[in-house]
Amino acid sequence: DSGVTQTPKHLITATGQRVTLRCSPRSGDLSVYWYQQSLDQGLQFLIQYYNGEERAKGNILERFSAQQFPDLHSELNLSSLELGDSALYFCASGPGANVLTFGAGSRLTVL
Amino acid sequence: AQRVTQPEKLLSVFKGAPVELKCNYSYSGSPELFWYVQYSRQRLQLLLRHISRESIKGFTADLNKGETSFHLKKPFAQEEDSAMYYCALKSNTGNQFYFGTGTSLTVIP
C-alpha cells in the first residue's frame, strides 16, 4: 500500500450537484497535490497544499476548491458539476524521498 | 515557464522490439526529471528518476540538457510494459511537479 488514501473510490452524481473528495496523505508527507486525469487531457495539475497552506494553483476551475486541514488530510470540493467534470481525480503526497506518491484515485461520473 | 511535452499520445510496438517514449521539457534551471507509469486499473507509480541513473524493469532514461530531453528507452519491449507513461519535472523551488500529457504504450504480442 502506498500510504495515500482516497475516498470515495467511485462516485456517480448528476449535473449541478456538489461532491467532496477526500485524501489522506502518506504519513510524514506535508504536501498534498490534486490532479485530474481525463482521456483527452492526460494528467492535469489542479492545486497543491503544503502544511495547510495553498502553495500552487494549476488548471483548477472556479467551481472547484480545496483545503488541507490541520491533520494534513485534504478535501477537493467540486460544485455545479458538468458532464465534462467526469474524470479520475488523483491525490498525491510528497515529496517523501523527493518523489510523489499517488493514491488510487476517485472516479467521478456526472450524468 | 515550466513545460513537459510528450509528443506521442499513443505508441504501439511489437514484443521484442525497441521502444522509446519521448519527453522534452522547458525549465529555466536544473530540473529533476521522472518517469511515472500507470498500469491498467492501478495507481501511478514512480518508474525511475534521472538522478538515480538506474535501470528499472529494463527501462533507462538519460537527461540530455542540450536537447532538453528525457526520453525513456527499453531495448526489448515486453507485453507487460503496456501502460500509460508520464514524464514529470520537479521544480527546484516550491516542490511543484509538472506532468506531460502521457503516452499510452501498447506492446503487441
Side-chain angles (χ1 to χ4, degrees), chain A residues 55-101:
Chain A
R55 182 60 64 94
K57 243 180 182 176
N59 300 323
I60 188 166
L61 300 171
E62 285 191 14
R63 299 183 286 108
F64 296 179
S65 64
Q67 55 185 327
Q68 187 179 27
F69 295 86
D71 66 352
L72 300 178
H73 90 271
S74 177
E75 292 182 356
L76 179 67
N77 301 295
L78 315 175
S79 60
S80 303
L81 286 168
E82 302 175 359
L83 296 177
D85 297 328
S86 296
L88 195 53
Y89 291 85
F90 282 108
C91 169
S93 75
N98 232 21
V99 299
L100 290 182
T101 302

Side-chain angles (χ1 to χ4, degrees), chain B residues 2-57:
Chain B
Q2 302 86 347
R3 176 175 285 187
V4 178
T5 304
Q6 292 180 251
E8 304 136 331
K9 242 183 176 174
L10 303 169
L11 183 62
S12 295
V13 299
F14 284 101
K15 177 182 173 182
V19 60
E20 180 180 67
L21 291 86
K22 291 185 167 49
C23 172
N24 289 90
Y25 67 91
S26 61
Y27 185 69
S28 55
S30 294
E32 283 189 65
L33 276 298
F34 305 81
W35 277 99
Y36 280 80
V37 60
Q38 185 180 27
Y39 300 104
S40 179
R41 298 182 179 280
Q42 294 186 28
R43 64 189 70 190
L44 277 88
Q45 55 188 281
L46 177 68
L47 179 61
L48 54 80
R49 48 194 298 200
H50 88 271
I51 62 173
S52 299
R53 300 186 65 81
E54 56 191 346
S55 172
I56 304 293
K57 299 185 179 183

